[in-house]
Amino acid sequence: MTTERKISRFFNLTDSNWMKHANPWSVGTRYTVLPLIIIAFWSRIWLGWWFLIPAALSISWIFLNPVMFCKPKSTKNWASKAVMGERVYLNRDKVKIPPVHKTVLLPLLNIISSIGMGIAIWAIVEYSIWGAVIGTVLAYLGKSWYLDRMVWLYEDMKENHQEYLDWEY
């Protein structure tokens, strides 16, 4: 079982929920997660222990976001294809992906995102606006590039696998 499949189970991404997550609104609003968490934890200086309320809400958004939107009217867009590509990638232990997609780039992009997250966490502790900005930019740069590679993967795989092609409408 791939790590991505374990993560998708943790987020309750069933077939139906994957399609909800393929809604461009889900993908787009997912980019609000890190800034909301940063602001929520920074609010501890103004709210004291009451900061736990916005912190809990912002962390809840991580879990609610992928499943709270309805199935998209169309999946013929970048955001939907990125999510469908993630599904293809997590399924690579069952359906082989082309060698061109098995590069060091994907782990590298996840490392870039992780470094960005680390900087953002440091920025939360130190109240560093520049750390928060740089961390968020790095995290989202790595994630956005990763998603773009998932679109490419989906486009390469859909014509040879009816299940994948059926996701597009």
Side-chain angles (χ1 to χ4, degrees):
M1 178 182 297
T2 61
T3 302
E4 293 82 8
R5 184 173 287 114
K6 291 176 186 174
I7 292 169
S8 74
R9 285 189 179 165
F10 181 72
F11 281 93
N12 191 33
L13 288 174
T14 61
D15 287 342
S16 173
N17 286 342
W18 269 110
M19 291 315 293
K20 291 178 181 181
H21 187 37
N23 187 318
W25 280 99
S26 176
V27 175
T29 57
R30 193 90 170 145
Y31 282 89
T32 65
V33 169
L34 187 53
L36 288 174
I37 289 172
I38 290 169
I39 292 167
F41 279 87
W42 270 355
S43 73
R44 71 187 186 276
I45 200 164
W46 313 297
L47 302 177
W49 286 105
W50 290 101
F51 90 93
L52 291 172
I53 294 169
L57 290 171
S58 63
I59 291 171
S60 296
W61 182 234
I62 295 170
F63 296 94
L64 291 174
N65 176 278
V67 297
M68 73 172 286
F69 294 92
C70 60
K71 185 177 171 181
K73 292 179 182 175
S74 171
T75 59
K76 293 182 179 182
N77 60 75
W78 183 89
S80 295
K81 290 178 182 182
V83 170
M84 294 183 302
E86 287 182 306
R87 281 186 82 181
V88 169
Y89 190 69
L90 77 80
N91 199 36
R92 68 190 180 281
D93 59 337
K94 295 181 180 178
V95 178
K96 301 300 178 201
I97 62 175
V100 69
H101 297 289
K102 296 178 186 178
T103 67
V104 72
L105 182 60
L106 293 179
L108 179 62
L109 295 174
N110 285 326
I111 289 169
I112 291 170
S113 291
S114 297
I115 289 169
M117 288 296 296
I119 293 170
I121 291 167
W122 170 84
I124 290 170
V125 172
E126 295 295 324
Y127 293 103
S128 169
I129 186 82
W130 290 110
V133 169
I134 291 168
T136 301
V137 166
L138 274 176
Y140 287 164
L141 173 71
K143 183 62 175 180
S144 296
W145 194 355
Y146 176 85
L147 291 176
D148 193 57
R149 299 303 82 204
M150 293 298 102
V151 172
W152 180 24
L153 173 62
Y154 176 71
E155 290 291 345
D156 280 357
M157 295 292 289
K158 72 179 182 182
E159 298 303 326
N160 297 322
H161 300 281
Q162 187 61 44
E163 178 188 4
Y164 299 161
L165 187 59
D166 291 344
W167 296 341
E168 190 172 278
Y169 53 89

